[in-house]
């Protein structure tokens, strides 16, 4: 498994990945904004890195992470595994790859993320990786932090 650059050869495949069970992408999905929205956001806001998540030479997910100027913190802003690839252990490995990349950034001592409070699977994953609830709610999402 590896993180890959989003480029002219894979951007459309990335945009078409979805967490929606019916396989039809929407701008805002049940627990995450669409990859199309995230890619666009990364163009107009500084500090974000976007990567595809590849397993067995197949694009299966997407991550957006970096420094959020508004909060002055490092964030995993978006993370998703396509509905066809969920439940196979890819999420854990992919988050670990993102964390490894972020830990290399000078000055990154804490990594934040947020998720819908009812996204129990994601919360269990994040807590098992050492993330702890901050008690803050961001736009309806529970905030977590990992000290590195």
């Amino acid at each position: 498994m590896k993180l890959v650059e989003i480029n002219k050869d894979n951007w459309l495949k990335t945009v078409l990945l979805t967490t929606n069970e019916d396989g039809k992408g929407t701008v805002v999905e049940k627990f995450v904004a669409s990859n199309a929205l995230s890619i666009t956001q990364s163009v107009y806001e500084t500090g974000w890195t976007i990567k595809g998540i590849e397993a067995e030479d197949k694009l299966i997910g997407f991550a957006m992470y970096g420094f959020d100027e508004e909060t002055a913190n490092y964030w995993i802003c978006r993370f998703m595994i396509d509905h066809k690839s969920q439940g196979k252990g890819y999420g854990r490995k992919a988050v670990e790859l993102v964390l490894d990349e972020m830990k290399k950034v000078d000055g990154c001592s804490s990594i934040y993320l947020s998720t819908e409070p009812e996204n129990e699977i994601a919360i269990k994953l994040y807590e098992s990786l050492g993330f702890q609830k901050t008690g803050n709610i961001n736009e309806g999402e529970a905030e977590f932090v990992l000290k590195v």
Side-chain angles (χ1 to χ4, degrees), residues 41-142:
Q41 182 180 353
S42 76
V43 170
Y44 293 104
E45 293 181 11
T46 60
W48 297 115
T49 298
I50 56 172
K51 297 282 182 156
I53 300 165
E54 208 175 79
E56 301 167 19
D57 296 320
K58 182 181 177 189
L59 195 62
I60 60 143
F62 175 82
M64 180 170 146
Y65 54 93
F67 186 75
D68 178 35
E69 292 179 348
E70 188 174 312
T71 64
N73 289 310
Y74 289 89
W75 283 80
I76 299 176
C77 179
R78 304 275 160 53
F79 179 81
M80 64 83 71
I81 300 294
D82 186 75
H83 72 104
K84 295 178 201 167
S85 298
Q86 291 180 5
K88 299 179 181 179
Y90 293 137
R92 169 176 291 283
K93 180 65 177 161
V95 172
E96 289 171 345
L97 290 172
V98 170
L99 291 173
D100 289 346
E101 289 297 309
M102 294 183 78
K103 289 175 183 177
K104 294 176 189 175
V105 176
D106 193 36
C108 180
S109 59
S110 298
I111 299 170
Y112 290 80
L113 57 78
S114 64
T115 190
E116 297 285 339
E118 64 271 12
N119 191 349
E120 296 173 10
I121 293 171
I123 291 171
K124 183 177 176 182
L125 169 64
Y126 299 143
E127 289 179 336
S128 75
L129 291 166
F131 282 89
Q132 297 178 340
K133 289 181 181 178
T134 66
N136 294 333
I137 301 294
N138 283 329
E139 298 178 14
E141 294 187 344

